[in-house]
Amino acid sequence: AQAASPSFMEMKFINISHRGASGHAPEHTFTSYELGKAMNGDYIEIDLQMTEDGELIALHDETIDRTTGKKGLVKDLTREEIKQLDAGSWFNEAFPEKANPEYKGLQIPTLREVFDQFGNDSKFFIETKSPDVYPEMEEKLINLLYEYNLIGGVNDSGNVIIQSFSAESLRKIHAMEESIPLIQLLSYYAPASMTDSEIEKLKEYAVGVGMHFTAANPAYVKKVKDSGLLILPYTVNEKEDMEMLLDWGVNGMFTNYPDRLDEVIRKR
Ligand code: G3P
Ligand code: CA
């Protein structure tokens, strides 16, 4: 039997494999997800898009352009068309020093395939991307999580976390399934700050916030943490930045290099 893992809120520190170990292998492929786990990432981060025929897929962009060598909007393509694409070769071309012939032909996974492959012994940090573009994305996600027994059971204390830049999407999910921990992603164009009334609003549905790590500062981290919210900056790839944020007391980080973050944490 599998050892019981601590629930999300009890975890000392959270190492989130951003799009899998995407600094080492093509993002959002089984390979990068597997590597993320092997490198001691606690959660696999998954960005969600939805196909024309309503299939949730793991892809960061609204288009297939950057990572497949073809062009088009995901919302105009069927599941079948998405599954024909090569989501690995771009990485070999963009990062020849990290290239591996095995990456050629890697597929874009559907969320269902991710759960089939990793569902039993993995934790997922799922982002609803562009929810305004995809009708009923949230309902489909919740239904799939139920189908795979990833929520609603005795074992669900934070095995699935949902994040979004869209407060509307998170509020919708909170209304459907109160038990799922939610992380509000925030965009800052200046040093981050948060008022007491913003904190109160966030706490109506979220357990924490995420923001680009360069926007964070010690006073902000303290204010967020003192309010009882978790703080999880993204996307932190250099060890010096990891050390700095750990000193400030963040609760976890998104990283393309979960191996580096693991090394930093273990040395402390
Ligand atoms: O989800 C945290 C971080 O991934 C948000 O930025 O653009 O990489 O999804 P992005
Ligand atoms: Ca993301």
mmCIF file of all heavy atoms in Angstrom, residues 19 21-29 32 59-61 64-70 85-100 103-108 256:
data_model
loop_
_atom_site.group_PDB
_atom_site.id
_atom_site.type_symbol
_atom_site.label_atom_id
_atom_site.label_comp_id
_atom_site.label_asym_id
_atom_site.label_seq_id
_atom_site.Cartn_x
_atom_site.Cartn_y
_atom_site.Cartn_z
ATOM 1 N N ARG A 19 4.695 22.654 -15.788
ATOM 2 C CA ARG A 19 4.499 21.986 -17.089
ATOM 3 C C ARG A 19 5.322 20.693 -17.111
ATOM 4 O O ARG A 19 5.840 20.299 -18.156
ATOM 5 C CB ARG A 19 4.890 22.900 -18.250
ATOM 6 C CG ARG A 19 4.349 24.327 -18.117
ATOM 7 C CD ARG A 19 4.704 25.208 -19.304
ATOM 8 N NE ARG A 19 4.452 26.616 -18.985
ATOM 9 C CZ ARG A 19 4.696 27.636 -19.789
ATOM 10 N NH1 ARG A 19 5.176 27.414 -20.990
ATOM 11 N NH2 ARG A 19 4.443 28.874 -19.423
ATOM 12 N N ALA A 21 8.833 18.693 -15.656
ATOM 13 C CA ALA A 21 10.208 19.214 -15.532
ATOM 14 C C ALA A 21 10.570 19.820 -16.878
ATOM 15 O O ALA A 21 11.396 19.307 -17.637
ATOM 16 C CB ALA A 21 11.168 18.096 -15.153
ATOM 17 N N SER A 22 9.930 20.973 -17.170
ATOM 18 C CA SER A 22 9.966 21.488 -18.548
ATOM 19 C C SER A 22 11.273 22.191 -18.897
ATOM 20 O O SER A 22 11.456 22.596 -20.038
ATOM 21 C CB SER A 22 8.781 22.422 -18.778
ATOM 22 O OG SER A 22 8.835 23.495 -17.862
ATOM 23 N N GLY A 23 12.182 22.316 -17.930
ATOM 24 C CA GLY A 23 13.522 22.796 -18.265
ATOM 25 C C GLY A 23 14.378 21.698 -18.858
ATOM 26 O O GLY A 23 15.422 21.961 -19.451
ATOM 27 N N HIS A 24 13.931 20.455 -18.696
ATOM 28 C CA HIS A 24 14.723 19.309 -19.147
ATOM 29 C C HIS A 24 14.125 18.597 -20.359
ATOM 30 O O HIS A 24 14.845 17.945 -21.107
ATOM 31 C CB HIS A 24 14.828 18.275 -18.015
ATOM 32 C CG HIS A 24 15.565 18.758 -16.811
ATOM 33 N ND1 HIS A 24 16.934 18.901 -16.779
ATOM 34 C CD2 HIS A 24 15.126 19.144 -15.588
ATOM 35 C CE1 HIS A 24 17.314 19.337 -15.582
ATOM 36 N NE2 HIS A 24 16.225 19.498 -14.846
ATOM 37 N N ALA A 25 12.817 18.676 -20.511
ATOM 38 C CA ALA A 25 12.112 17.918 -21.565
ATOM 39 C C ALA A 25 10.924 18.735 -22.050
ATOM 40 O O ALA A 25 10.493 19.669 -21.356
ATOM 41 C CB ALA A 25 11.658 16.574 -20.998
ATOM 42 N N PRO A 26 10.365 18.396 -23.214
ATOM 43 C CA PRO A 26 9.262 19.214 -23.751
ATOM 44 C C PRO A 26 8.084 19.322 -22.772
ATOM 45 O O PRO A 26 7.613 18.308 -22.259
ATOM 46 C CB PRO A 26 8.838 18.457 -25.015
ATOM 47 C CG PRO A 26 9.968 17.550 -25.342
ATOM 48 C CD PRO A 26 10.706 17.264 -24.086
ATOM 49 N N GLU A 27 7.663 20.571 -22.531
ATOM 50 C CA GLU A 27 6.586 20.835 -21.567
ATOM 51 C C GLU A 27 5.314 20.059 -21.906
ATOM 52 O O GLU A 27 5.006 19.804 -23.076
ATOM 53 C CB GLU A 27 6.283 22.339 -21.545
ATOM 54 C CG GLU A 27 5.703 22.863 -22.867
ATOM 55 C CD GLU A 27 5.581 24.385 -22.870
ATOM 56 O OE1 GLU A 27 6.597 25.071 -22.684
ATOM 57 O OE2 GLU A 27 4.452 24.875 -23.086
ATOM 58 N N HIS A 28 4.566 19.748 -20.881
ATOM 59 C CA HIS A 28 3.260 19.093 -21.027
ATOM 60 C C HIS A 28 3.305 17.852 -21.929
ATOM 61 O O HIS A 28 2.530 17.727 -22.896
ATOM 62 C CB HIS A 28 2.203 20.085 -21.528
ATOM 63 C CG HIS A 28 1.855 21.135 -20.510
ATOM 64 N ND1 HIS A 28 1.613 20.838 -19.187
ATOM 65 C CD2 HIS A 28 1.720 22.485 -20.612
ATOM 66 C CE1 HIS A 28 1.331 21.952 -18.523
ATOM 67 N NE2 HIS A 28 1.402 22.966 -19.364
ATOM 68 N N THR A 29 4.270 16.985 -21.613
ATOM 69 C CA THR A 29 4.304 15.655 -22.236
ATOM 70 C C THR A 29 4.440 14.640 -21.102
ATOM 71 O O THR A 29 4.857 15.000 -19.991
ATOM 72 C CB THR A 29 5.510 15.499 -23.179
ATOM 73 O OG1 THR A 29 6.730 15.692 -22.429
ATOM 74 C CG2 THR A 29 5.461 16.501 -24.328
ATOM 75 N N SER A 32 7.942 14.902 -19.608
ATOM 76 C CA SER A 32 8.258 15.964 -18.641
ATOM 77 C C SER A 32 7.523 15.727 -17.315
ATOM 78 O O SER A 32 8.049 16.031 -16.247
ATOM 79 C CB SER A 32 7.944 17.356 -19.202
ATOM 80 O OG SER A 32 6.566 17.576 -19.312
ATOM 81 N N LEU A 59 -2.054 21.799 -22.336
ATOM 82 C CA LEU A 59 -1.299 22.661 -23.244
ATOM 83 C C LEU A 59 -1.317 24.072 -22.663
ATOM 84 O O LEU A 59 -2.340 24.515 -22.159
ATOM 85 C CB LEU A 59 -1.940 22.647 -24.636
ATOM 86 C CG LEU A 59 -1.129 23.297 -25.749
ATOM 87 C CD1 LEU A 59 0.069 22.421 -26.140
ATOM 88 C CD2 LEU A 59 -1.990 23.539 -26.995
ATOM 89 N N HIS A 60 -0.188 24.760 -22.758
ATOM 90 C CA HIS A 60 -0.139 26.099 -22.174
ATOM 91 C C HIS A 60 -0.841 27.140 -23.029
ATOM 92 O O HIS A 60 -1.587 27.972 -22.531
ATOM 93 C CB HIS A 60 1.312 26.538 -21.936
ATOM 94 C CG HIS A 60 1.408 27.918 -21.365
ATOM 95 N ND1 HIS A 60 1.521 29.040 -22.158
ATOM 96 C CD2 HIS A 60 1.363 28.368 -20.088
ATOM 97 C CE1 HIS A 60 1.549 30.115 -21.392
ATOM 98 N NE2 HIS A 60 1.464 29.747 -20.129
ATOM 99 N N ASP A 61 -0.579 27.120 -24.340
ATOM 100 C CA ASP A 61 -1.045 28.217 -25.200
ATOM 101 C C ASP A 61 -2.442 27.924 -25.765
ATOM 102 O O ASP A 61 -2.836 26.769 -25.917
ATOM 103 C CB ASP A 61 -0.089 28.411 -26.389
ATOM 104 C CG ASP A 61 1.347 28.711 -25.954
ATOM 105 O OD1 ASP A 61 1.598 28.846 -24.743
ATOM 106 O OD2 ASP A 61 2.217 28.791 -26.841
ATOM 107 N N ILE A 64 -1.652 26.110 -31.128
ATOM 108 C CA ILE A 64 -0.685 25.004 -31.174
ATOM 109 C C ILE A 64 0.649 25.472 -31.766
ATOM 110 O O ILE A 64 1.595 24.694 -31.886
ATOM 111 C CB ILE A 64 -1.240 23.833 -32.024
ATOM 112 C CG1 ILE A 64 -1.565 24.311 -33.457
ATOM 113 C CG2 ILE A 64 -2.464 23.229 -31.357
ATOM 114 C CD1 ILE A 64 -1.865 23.180 -34.436
ATOM 115 N N ASP A 65 0.731 26.750 -32.128
ATOM 116 C CA ASP A 65 1.836 27.255 -32.957
ATOM 117 C C ASP A 65 3.228 27.055 -32.344
ATOM 118 O O ASP A 65 4.155 26.617 -33.000
ATOM 119 C CB ASP A 65 1.644 28.747 -33.258
ATOM 120 C CG ASP A 65 0.293 29.056 -33.891
ATOM 121 O OD1 ASP A 65 -0.562 28.148 -33.953
ATOM 122 O OD2 ASP A 65 0.080 30.194 -34.321
ATOM 123 N N ARG A 66 3.388 27.426 -31.087
ATOM 124 C CA ARG A 66 4.725 27.460 -30.493
ATOM 125 C C ARG A 66 5.325 26.063 -30.324
ATOM 126 O O ARG A 66 6.532 25.887 -30.477
ATOM 127 C CB ARG A 66 4.675 28.184 -29.131
ATOM 128 C CG ARG A 66 6.024 28.264 -28.407
ATOM 129 C CD ARG A 66 5.926 29.091 -27.129
ATOM 130 N NE ARG A 66 4.960 28.576 -26.179
ATOM 131 C CZ ARG A 66 5.227 27.650 -25.253
ATOM 132 N NH1 ARG A 66 6.436 27.164 -25.130
ATOM 133 N NH2 ARG A 66 4.270 27.230 -24.444
ATOM 134 N N THR A 67 4.502 25.078 -30.011
ATOM 135 C CA THR A 67 5.056 23.780 -29.591
ATOM 136 C C THR A 67 4.786 22.616 -30.544
ATOM 137 O O THR A 67 5.090 21.470 -30.195
ATOM 138 C CB THR A 67 4.511 23.401 -28.191
ATOM 139 O OG1 THR A 67 3.082 23.444 -28.226
ATOM 140 C CG2 THR A 67 5.013 24.352 -27.122
ATOM 141 N N THR A 68 4.228 22.901 -31.719
ATOM 142 C CA THR A 68 3.959 21.763 -32.621
ATOM 143 C C THR A 68 4.426 21.967 -34.058
ATOM 144 O O THR A 68 4.324 21.034 -34.874
ATOM 145 C CB THR A 68 2.444 21.430 -32.684
ATOM 146 O OG1 THR A 68 1.777 22.489 -33.382
ATOM 147 C CG2 THR A 68 1.850 21.241 -31.305
ATOM 148 N N GLY A 69 4.854 23.175 -34.402
ATOM 149 C CA GLY A 69 5.260 23.432 -35.781
ATOM 150 C C GLY A 69 4.079 23.579 -36.745
ATOM 151 O O GLY A 69 4.264 23.806 -37.939
ATOM 152 N N LYS A 70 2.858 23.445 -36.234
ATOM 153 C CA LYS A 70 1.662 23.715 -37.053
ATOM 154 C C LYS A 70 0.986 24.972 -36.508
ATOM 155 O O LYS A 70 1.424 25.512 -35.493
ATOM 156 C CB LYS A 70 0.689 22.531 -36.977
ATOM 157 C CG LYS A 70 1.312 21.203 -37.358
ATOM 158 C CD LYS A 70 1.197 20.969 -38.835
ATOM 159 C CE LYS A 70 1.609 19.549 -39.154
ATOM 160 N NZ LYS A 70 2.433 19.358 -40.272
ATOM 161 N N LEU A 85 -0.490 15.659 -33.527
ATOM 162 C CA LEU A 85 0.601 16.639 -33.529
ATOM 163 C C LEU A 85 1.848 16.131 -32.801
ATOM 164 O O LEU A 85 1.757 15.315 -31.883
ATOM 165 C CB LEU A 85 0.115 17.939 -32.862
ATOM 166 C CG LEU A 85 -1.081 18.606 -33.539
ATOM 167 C CD1 LEU A 85 -1.662 19.710 -32.646
ATOM 168 C CD2 LEU A 85 -0.674 19.188 -34.896
ATOM 169 N N ASP A 86 2.990 16.643 -33.215
ATOM 170 C CA ASP A 86 4.284 16.335 -32.596
ATOM 171 C C ASP A 86 4.632 17.476 -31.635
ATOM 172 O O ASP A 86 4.953 18.574 -32.070
ATOM 173 C CB ASP A 86 5.330 16.201 -33.708
ATOM 174 C CG ASP A 86 6.755 16.088 -33.180
ATOM 175 O OD1 ASP A 86 6.964 16.204 -31.956
ATOM 176 O OD2 ASP A 86 7.660 15.889 -34.019
ATOM 177 N N ALA A 87 4.550 17.199 -30.344
ATOM 178 C CA ALA A 87 4.777 18.244 -29.336
ATOM 179 C C ALA A 87 6.175 18.162 -28.730
ATOM 180 O O ALA A 87 6.439 18.763 -27.683
ATOM 181 C CB ALA A 87 3.717 18.141 -28.234
ATOM 182 N N GLY A 88 7.071 17.412 -29.392
ATOM 183 C CA GLY A 88 8.420 17.235 -28.838
ATOM 184 C C GLY A 88 9.539 17.817 -29.683
ATOM 185 O O GLY A 88 10.537 18.308 -29.158
ATOM 186 N N SER A 89 9.361 17.787 -31.019
ATOM 187 C CA SER A 89 10.476 18.193 -31.900
ATOM 188 C C SER A 89 10.885 19.642 -31.721
ATOM 189 O O SER A 89 12.059 19.985 -31.845
ATOM 190 C CB SER A 89 10.099 17.945 -33.365
ATOM 191 O OG SER A 89 10.001 16.549 -33.581
ATOM 192 N N TRP A 90 9.908 20.519 -31.433
ATOM 193 C CA TRP A 90 10.231 21.950 -31.254
ATOM 194 C C TRP A 90 11.294 22.124 -30.186
ATOM 195 O O TRP A 90 12.162 22.989 -30.306
ATOM 196 C CB TRP A 90 8.976 22.755 -30.884
ATOM 197 C CG TRP A 90 8.562 22.546 -29.451
ATOM 198 C CD1 TRP A 90 7.763 21.560 -28.973
ATOM 199 C CD2 TRP A 90 8.973 23.322 -28.312
ATOM 200 N NE1 TRP A 90 7.646 21.655 -27.602
ATOM 201 C CE2 TRP A 90 8.380 22.732 -27.173
ATOM 202 C CE3 TRP A 90 9.780 24.445 -28.131
ATOM 203 C CZ2 TRP A 90 8.567 23.217 -25.884
ATOM 204 C CZ3 TRP A 90 9.965 24.932 -26.834
ATOM 205 C CH2 TRP A 90 9.361 24.322 -25.735
ATOM 206 N N PHE A 91 11.219 21.279 -29.143
ATOM 207 C CA PHE A 91 12.155 21.393 -28.018
ATOM 208 C C PHE A 91 13.572 21.069 -28.479
ATOM 209 O O PHE A 91 14.530 21.763 -28.116
ATOM 210 C CB PHE A 91 11.701 20.427 -26.913
ATOM 211 C CG PHE A 91 12.510 20.502 -25.646
ATOM 212 C CD1 PHE A 91 12.149 21.354 -24.612
ATOM 213 C CD2 PHE A 91 13.627 19.684 -25.465
ATOM 214 C CE1 PHE A 91 12.886 21.415 -23.437
ATOM 215 C CE2 PHE A 91 14.370 19.744 -24.291
ATOM 216 C CZ PHE A 91 14.002 20.608 -23.281
ATOM 217 N N ASN A 92 13.699 20.033 -29.300
ATOM 218 C CA ASN A 92 15.027 19.653 -29.807
ATOM 219 C C ASN A 92 15.631 20.769 -30.648
ATOM 220 O O ASN A 92 16.837 21.004 -30.605
ATOM 221 C CB ASN A 92 14.926 18.377 -30.639
ATOM 222 C CG ASN A 92 14.654 17.161 -29.771
ATOM 223 O OD1 ASN A 92 14.779 17.235 -28.548
ATOM 224 N ND2 ASN A 92 14.285 16.048 -30.394
ATOM 225 N N GLU A 93 14.761 21.446 -31.400
ATOM 226 C CA GLU A 93 15.255 22.549 -32.237
ATOM 227 C C GLU A 93 15.600 23.781 -31.386
ATOM 228 O O GLU A 93 16.621 24.429 -31.601
ATOM 229 C CB GLU A 93 14.200 22.934 -33.277
ATOM 230 C CG GLU A 93 14.147 21.936 -34.419
ATOM 231 C CD GLU A 93 12.795 21.909 -35.121
ATOM 232 O OE1 GLU A 93 12.134 22.964 -35.183
ATOM 233 O OE2 GLU A 93 12.408 20.811 -35.587
ATOM 234 N N ALA A 94 14.755 24.064 -30.397
ATOM 235 C CA ALA A 94 14.973 25.258 -29.567
ATOM 236 C C ALA A 94 16.134 25.077 -28.592
ATOM 237 O O ALA A 94 16.817 26.034 -28.258
ATOM 238 C CB ALA A 94 13.695 25.612 -28.802
ATOM 239 N N PHE A 95 16.331 23.842 -28.121
ATOM 240 C CA PHE A 95 17.376 23.576 -27.117
ATOM 241 C C PHE A 95 18.255 22.409 -27.552
ATOM 242 O O PHE A 95 18.182 21.311 -26.967
ATOM 243 C CB PHE A 95 16.734 23.282 -25.743
ATOM 244 C CG PHE A 95 15.747 24.316 -25.303
ATOM 245 C CD1 PHE A 95 14.376 24.074 -25.366
ATOM 246 C CD2 PHE A 95 16.182 25.552 -24.836
ATOM 247 C CE1 PHE A 95 13.463 25.040 -24.973
ATOM 248 C CE2 PHE A 95 15.273 26.527 -24.439
ATOM 249 C CZ PHE A 95 13.911 26.270 -24.508
ATOM 250 N N PRO A 96 19.104 22.633 -28.586
ATOM 251 C CA PRO A 96 19.904 21.518 -29.124
ATOM 252 C C PRO A 96 20.770 20.839 -28.060
ATOM 253 O O PRO A 96 21.004 19.632 -28.129
ATOM 254 C CB PRO A 96 20.779 22.182 -30.195
ATOM 255 C CG PRO A 96 20.390 23.605 -30.267
ATOM 256 C CD PRO A 96 19.317 23.897 -29.285
ATOM 257 N N GLU A 97 21.182 21.613 -27.056
ATOM 258 C CA GLU A 97 22.046 21.028 -26.014
ATOM 259 C C GLU A 97 21.265 20.052 -25.124
ATOM 260 O O GLU A 97 21.863 19.226 -24.426
ATOM 261 C CB GLU A 97 22.726 22.130 -25.185
ATOM 262 C CG GLU A 97 21.856 22.930 -24.225
ATOM 263 C CD GLU A 97 20.894 23.944 -24.872
ATOM 264 O OE1 GLU A 97 20.835 24.039 -26.125
ATOM 265 O OE2 GLU A 97 20.172 24.626 -24.113
ATOM 266 N N LYS A 98 19.952 20.139 -25.147
ATOM 267 C CA LYS A 98 19.133 19.232 -24.327
ATOM 268 C C LYS A 98 18.362 18.236 -25.197
ATOM 269 O O LYS A 98 17.536 17.464 -24.706
ATOM 270 C CB LYS A 98 18.119 20.024 -23.501
ATOM 271 C CG LYS A 98 18.747 20.984 -22.518
ATOM 272 C CD LYS A 98 17.685 21.772 -21.771
ATOM 273 C CE LYS A 98 18.359 22.800 -20.865
ATOM 274 N NZ LYS A 98 17.412 23.622 -20.140
ATOM 275 N N ALA A 99 18.605 18.296 -26.500
ATOM 276 C CA ALA A 99 17.803 17.499 -27.448
ATOM 277 C C ALA A 99 17.969 16.006 -27.195
ATOM 278 O O ALA A 99 19.012 15.533 -26.766
ATOM 279 C CB ALA A 99 18.222 17.843 -28.869
ATOM 280 N N ASN A 100 16.886 15.277 -27.474
ATOM 281 C CA ASN A 100 16.889 13.821 -27.331
ATOM 282 C C ASN A 100 15.991 13.275 -28.447
ATOM 283 O O ASN A 100 14.835 13.716 -28.563
ATOM 284 C CB ASN A 100 16.320 13.471 -25.944
ATOM 285 C CG ASN A 100 16.316 11.988 -25.680
ATOM 286 O OD1 ASN A 100 16.220 11.172 -26.597
ATOM 287 N ND2 ASN A 100 16.416 11.635 -24.413
ATOM 288 N N TYR A 103 12.285 12.532 -27.939
ATOM 289 C CA TYR A 103 11.255 13.565 -27.777
ATOM 290 C C TYR A 103 10.449 13.756 -29.060
ATOM 291 O O TYR A 103 9.326 14.255 -29.022
ATOM 292 C CB TYR A 103 11.881 14.907 -27.379
ATOM 293 C CG TYR A 103 12.596 14.917 -26.044
ATOM 294 C CD1 TYR A 103 13.519 15.907 -25.730
ATOM 295 C CD2 TYR A 103 12.343 13.924 -25.094
ATOM 296 C CE1 TYR A 103 14.170 15.924 -24.508
ATOM 297 C CE2 TYR A 103 13.002 13.927 -23.869
ATOM 298 C CZ TYR A 103 13.916 14.929 -23.585
ATOM 299 O OH TYR A 103 14.562 14.949 -22.385
ATOM 300 N N LYS A 104 11.038 13.370 -30.166
ATOM 301 C CA LYS A 104 10.344 13.533 -31.459
ATOM 302 C C LYS A 104 9.047 12.720 -31.445
ATOM 303 O O LYS A 104 9.056 11.539 -31.088
ATOM 304 C CB LYS A 104 11.255 13.045 -32.582
ATOM 305 C CG LYS A 104 10.706 13.260 -33.972
ATOM 306 C CD LYS A 104 11.774 12.940 -35.019
ATOM 307 C CE LYS A 104 11.293 13.256 -36.411
ATOM 308 N NZ LYS A 104 10.337 12.300 -36.948
ATOM 309 N N GLY A 105 7.954 13.371 -31.794
ATOM 310 C CA GLY A 105 6.679 12.659 -31.894
ATOM 311 C C GLY A 105 5.914 12.544 -30.586
ATOM 312 O O GLY A 105 4.834 11.935 -30.559
ATOM 313 N N LEU A 106 6.418 13.110 -29.508
ATOM 314 C CA LEU A 106 5.642 13.067 -28.250
ATOM 315 C C LEU A 106 4.304 13.778 -28.462
ATOM 316 O O LEU A 106 4.237 14.801 -29.133
ATOM 317 C CB LEU A 106 6.418 13.731 -27.111
ATOM 318 C CG LEU A 106 7.636 12.969 -26.578
ATOM 319 C CD1 LEU A 106 8.347 13.791 -25.499
ATOM 320 C CD2 LEU A 106 7.234 11.612 -26.025
ATOM 321 N N GLN A 107 3.270 13.225 -27.843
ATOM 322 C CA GLN A 107 1.928 13.768 -28.084
ATOM 323 C C GLN A 107 1.513 14.771 -27.015
ATOM 324 O O GLN A 107 2.002 14.744 -25.887
ATOM 325 C CB GLN A 107 0.909 12.624 -28.082
ATOM 326 C CG GLN A 107 1.081 11.666 -29.235
ATOM 327 C CD GLN A 107 0.004 10.598 -29.234
ATOM 328 O OE1 GLN A 107 -0.964 10.655 -28.472
ATOM 329 N NE2 GLN A 107 0.166 9.614 -30.099
ATOM 330 N N ILE A 108 0.560 15.611 -27.403
ATOM 331 C CA ILE A 108 -0.124 16.456 -26.418
ATOM 332 C C ILE A 108 -1.086 15.537 -25.667
ATOM 333 O O ILE A 108 -1.940 14.899 -26.291
ATOM 334 C CB ILE A 108 -0.936 17.577 -27.112
ATOM 335 C CG1 ILE A 108 0.012 18.534 -27.849
ATOM 336 C CG2 ILE A 108 -1.815 18.317 -26.114
ATOM 337 C CD1 ILE A 108 -0.704 19.585 -28.705
ATOM 338 N N ASN A 256 10.657 25.027 -13.422
ATOM 339 C CA ASN A 256 10.915 24.121 -14.552
ATOM 340 C C ASN A 256 12.003 23.110 -14.185
ATOM 341 O O ASN A 256 12.269 22.186 -14.944
ATOM 342 C CB ASN A 256 11.374 24.919 -15.776
ATOM 343 C CG ASN A 256 10.323 25.906 -16.251
ATOM 344 O OD1 ASN A 256 9.145 25.770 -15.936
ATOM 345 N ND2 ASN A 256 10.738 26.910 -17.016
#
